[in-house]
Amino acid sequence: MAVKRQKKLKSKRDGKYRKFEEIMSKKQKDRSDNYLDYIPVISDKYKWEVDEEGNVTIFVENRGLFNRIAQKLLKKPEVSQLHLERFGSYIFPLIDGKKTIYEIGQEVGAHFGDEAEPLYPRLTKYTKMLYSYGFIEYVKK
């Protein structure tokens, strides 16, 4: 019985190790891709507009059972508005499906100068955040 128990423990460790290897291989794969070569495209799922001052607002429709209950009972809006700050309001319209993140960064650097530094780490983090919320998609060059 002790032998069976050791085999079970060993197999559980092997499973965890395999998951760890998969995660690490994905991270290494991500590092091998040059993120600045990606071309972001604004998703068609959300509507957005630019006001006369140049500020971007993204409209998010609140769907689902929980949101319907919150709309009825708590008077929550059917559509939420996300107002981007000035860097985001400048960057979002530049995402046209033709420019790479590097090219967008060059325009942001020319417009904001030293105020945008560290430019590329901030820009990649910002585009990753937009991607995680589904506001943009990527097309690899």
Side-chain angles (χ1 to χ4, degrees), residues 89-137:
S89 291
Y90 183 79
I91 293 168
F92 201 77
L94 294 177
I95 300 173
D96 59 0
K98 297 175 185 171
K99 297 176 188 163
T100 63
I101 293 176
Y102 178 76
E103 293 167 342
I104 292 171
Q106 287 179 327
E107 290 188 35
V108 171
H111 186 264
F112 290 105
D114 290 338
E115 196 175 357
E117 294 299 328
L119 176 60
Y120 291 107
R122 285 177 72 182
L123 184 59
T124 55
K125 185 74 170 174
Y126 182 71
T127 54
K128 284 180 182 181
M129 183 195 65
L130 290 175
Y131 176 77
S132 71
Y133 286 115
F135 297 140
I136 65 169
E137 299 166 358

Side-chain angles (χ1 to χ4, degrees), residues 49-57 83-87 89-90 93 111-112:
E49 67 179 26
V50 180
D51 65 8
E52 59 274 351
E53 295 173 0
N55 298 321
V56 174
T57 303
H83 303 282
L84 301 182
E85 38 77 44
R86 68 185 187 121
F87 288 107
S89 291
Y90 183 79
H111 186 264
F112 290 105

Side-chain angles (χ1 to χ4, degrees), residues 31-117:
R31 288 182 185 156
S32 67
D33 291 341
N34 189 352
Y35 198 75
L36 298 177
D37 290 336
Y38 280 70
I39 300 172
V41 179
I42 296 175
S43 176
D44 295 333
K45 297 176 189 175
Y46 301 99
K47 295 178 183 174
W48 61 282
E49 67 179 26
V50 180
D51 65 8
E52 59 274 351
E53 295 173 0
N55 298 321
V56 174
T57 303
I58 302 173
F59 300 97
V60 179
E61 189 176 333
N62 297 317
R63 300 180 192 157
L65 178 65
F66 178 74
N67 284 319
R68 289 208 189 280
I69 293 170
Q71 289 166 9
K72 301 240 187 231
L73 297 177
L74 304 174
K75 308 289 188 226
K76 295 293 179 182
E78 290 183 28
V79 178
S80 296
Q81 298 179 9
L82 299 172
H83 303 282
L84 301 182
E85 38 77 44
R86 68 185 187 121
F87 288 107
S89 291
Y90 183 79
I91 293 168
F92 201 77
L94 294 177
I95 300 173
D96 59 0
K98 297 175 185 171
K99 297 176 188 163
T100 63
I101 293 176
Y102 178 76
E103 293 167 342
I104 292 171
Q106 287 179 327
E107 290 188 35
V108 171
H111 186 264
F112 290 105
D114 290 338
E115 196 175 357
E117 294 299 328

